[in-house]
Amino acid sequence: MTTPDRPPVASVNPHVVRDWADACVAGLDELRGEINDLNVFPIPDSDTGSNMLFTMRAAADAARTTPDDANLAVVTRAMADGAVSSARGNSGIILSQVLVGIADAADVLIADPDSTFNQLYSSGLRLAARGAMRAVSNPREGTVLTVIAVAAQTAAEHVGDSPADLARIVADETAEALERTPEQMPELASAGVVDAGARGFLVLTDALVGVLTGAMQRRRRYRGILTGGGEPGHSADEACASSDMDYEVMFLLDGAAGEHVATLRTRLDEIGDAVVIVGDSSGDAGERFSVHVHTNEPGLAVEAGIARGVLSDIRISCFALDEIKKQTVNDGPPPRHKRAVVAVVHGEGAAELFAEAGASVVRADDGLTPDMLADAIRATDSAHVVVMANGAMSSPDLVSVTAELRSPQRSVVSLPTLSMTQCLAALAVHDPSESPDADAYAMAEAAAGARWGSLAIADTKMMTLAGTCEVGDILGLIGSDVLVVANQQSEAATALVDLMLATGGEMVTALAGAQIADDTVAVIDEHLRRSYPGVELLVYQTGQQGDLIQVGVE
């Protein structure tokens, strides 16, 4: 029998862990709203998704601060400490324990040349399950704690599989355990939902599958389940909270001895519930603890911490005030317009083209800042705004801008377009008479279906998928991959078009930049007429300074 390929822990590329952290952030960001909507235990404050995202983002940021040559133990420890120090809410603290478990496993296994990636994952989940269970004063079945334990048990049973198969079976069993949470906790069954924290943990296990296999797991949308003969488990007015506490208190505690932490837990249990205390497990400067409690006596909770060590990053939130803020309606005048599309462009010709197509244009010839984009969105004075940054702004900044500008009177949706040709394809199907969701979906579908490429001048010598290029060579890119290297623009252009039409196409759109040679567009036209009769060519003089030309195929 052939033994599955199981790479030793020492040979596991730390970049895989960094990629996993980034994939977790992306997944939690995408599903934040869904997870928030599932949040009914211990308090229905609709913040589990947001808290897990904030915590995981801190871990991913910490991983990126480690040196490129840092080993696996250093990277995983940085993630764990970053998560513990920045954990938000009960769910964020428990998430931090998953990362602490993996870091602890890496510390132990990295010195053993015979240990494997599978042992790292299995041991990490086992330690995470134990640490998370110890962190919670009154653990309940049917929460994320139960689901982490199932994942750990599954990993232990399948440690002999290949890494990809191990990741898949753990993710699938996690999903099965998530489905069972309403059967295990009455509060979830009453509300008709699965556990929010467990749904967030499933994002983490699915992200690892995606990193190891390149194929993301597809899960149903967890909108809730039906109980009691097909009737919703609770009415809109029915309370589903299991806590009578009004405040959430969190702080970081330094300089506390182990026995002091035990007495702190006892004291917090006396004045509140949902008590979670975890340490960052680092040993050089003494252990730092992240403390969480729901209470009606926030002052006493803080005093209990002060009596046992040095406090920092104290956060107190009132559930009632948070709910009032969520329900507060903007008293300003309603938007004057129903719908708008904001398009970020480069070049004078592009600005005219997209304005004629009905977009509110933002010029990014000299760069684009979040404030510039935010001002453009506000200037539309519209109730529903679709934003296409076309690669001019990083995804985190784009998400931050659109999230900040959403309000009860304005929805903002960003489409992940990376080129002006994709944006043009989306604008072609824009229909203001459709519902906002249907219109945005159609635009996103059109943009995703538009293959795009570009020509650029190499400014450095480098190795590409098409071979080594020299400074001044003409590069043909499809997406961000260099697939053509040539000496002349016309040669690179025809080769790029051939690659893009290899899988078919009915129309080619060319956005000519300021530095494109006069005969290059004519060569493309002649090449299409000769080699691809019936394929339509549309050419626009957009005048961008970066790409010589952008090409779209539909």
Side-chain angles (χ1 to χ4, degrees), residues 18-377:
R18 295 187 180 98
D19 290 345
W20 173 63
D22 290 338
C24 290
V25 171
L28 289 170
D29 193 12
E30 179 182 354
L31 296 172
R32 172 175 48 181
E34 175 184 314
I35 298 171
N36 283 343
D37 289 344
L38 297 171
N39 180 199
V40 300
F41 180 85
I43 290 288
D45 48 358
S46 300
D47 64 356
T48 295
S50 300
N51 288 339
M52 295 186 78
L53 172 60
F54 186 95
T55 304
M56 193 67 222
R57 182 170 284 151
D61 290 344
R64 282 193 292 271
T65 64
T66 58
D68 288 341
D69 59 352
N71 65 26
L72 186 68
V74 171
V75 174
T76 55
R77 181 60 59 197
M79 289 173 57
D81 291 348
V84 170
S85 296
S86 301
R88 290 292 186 270
N90 196 332
S91 55
I93 291 181
I94 293 174
L95 167 58
S96 74
Q97 288 305 283
V98 174
L99 302 181
V100 168
I102 292 174
D104 288 346
D107 284 343
V108 173
L109 295 174
I110 198 167
D112 182 359
D114 296 325
S115 61
T116 65
F117 171 85
N118 289 18
Q119 290 174 323
L120 169 68
Y121 193 33
S122 176
S123 298
L125 288 176
R126 175 174 54 82
L127 294 173
R130 291 180 180 178
M133 191 68 71
R134 287 196 300 265
V136 179
S137 289
N138 297 296
R140 292 279 304 276
E141 188 178 15
T143 65
V144 64
L145 302 177
T146 304
V147 175
I148 295 174
V150 169
Q153 179 64 32
T154 302
E157 293 171 354
H158 293 269
V159 72
D161 294 357
S162 70
D165 287 341
L166 174 64
R168 287 192 193 96
I169 190 64
V170 168
D172 289 343
E173 289 300 315
T174 296
E176 290 293 329
L178 173 64
E179 297 283 359
R180 294 192 294 269
T181 56
E183 304 169 12
Q184 299 164 328
M185 180 177 288
E187 291 89 343
L188 299 179
S190 175
V193 296
V194 296
D195 183 69
R199 178 64 183 99
F201 177 69
L202 177 59
V203 172
L204 272 61
T205 60
D206 280 345
L208 183 60
V209 175
V211 169
L212 294 182
T213 69
M216 293 301 297
Q217 300 283 81
R218 293 184 177 273
R219 305 293 180 191
R220 73 172 179 88
R221 182 171 177 82
Y222 291 87
R223 297 178 181 274
I225 61 173
L226 295 179
T227 59
E231 294 298 323
H234 68 101
S235 68
D237 298 326
E238 183 180 348
C240 54
S242 61
S243 173
D244 296 325
M245 303 302 170
D246 293 332
Y247 297 90
E248 179 181 58
V249 179
M250 293 189 66
F251 53 80
L252 297 178
L253 174 65
D254 291 285
E259 60 271 20
H260 292 160
V261 173
T263 61
L264 174 61
R265 184 187 297 276
T266 300
R267 176 56 177 153
L268 294 180
D269 280 332
E270 293 173 353
I271 62 174
D273 58 24
V275 177
V276 183
I277 303 177
V278 299
D280 66 3
S281 72
S282 59
D284 294 340
E287 192 162 14
R288 164 174 285 189
F289 295 90
S290 182
V291 181
H292 171 278
V293 63
H294 292 166
T295 180
N296 287 327
E297 302 288 349
L300 294 181
V302 173
E303 289 176 1
I306 292 174
R308 291 162 175 83
V310 179
L311 268 58
S312 61
D313 198 14
I314 301 171
R315 300 186 297 276
I316 301 175
S317 59
C318 175
F319 297 124
L321 287 178
D322 288 345
E323 189 61 29
I324 291 172
K325 290 178 181 178
K326 292 176 185 176
Q327 297 175 357
T328 299
V329 177
N330 188 345
D331 293 328
R336 292 184 300 165
H337 308 291
K338 292 183 178 180
R339 202 80 57 84
V341 176
V342 174
V344 178
V345 304
H346 295 82
E348 182 67 32
E352 295 176 0
L353 172 65
F354 283 88
E356 290 175 0
S360 296
V361 172
V362 181
R363 293 283 296 274
D365 303 78
D366 298 319
L368 179 68
T369 66
D371 287 342
M372 290 170 57
L373 184 59
D375 289 343
I377 294 172

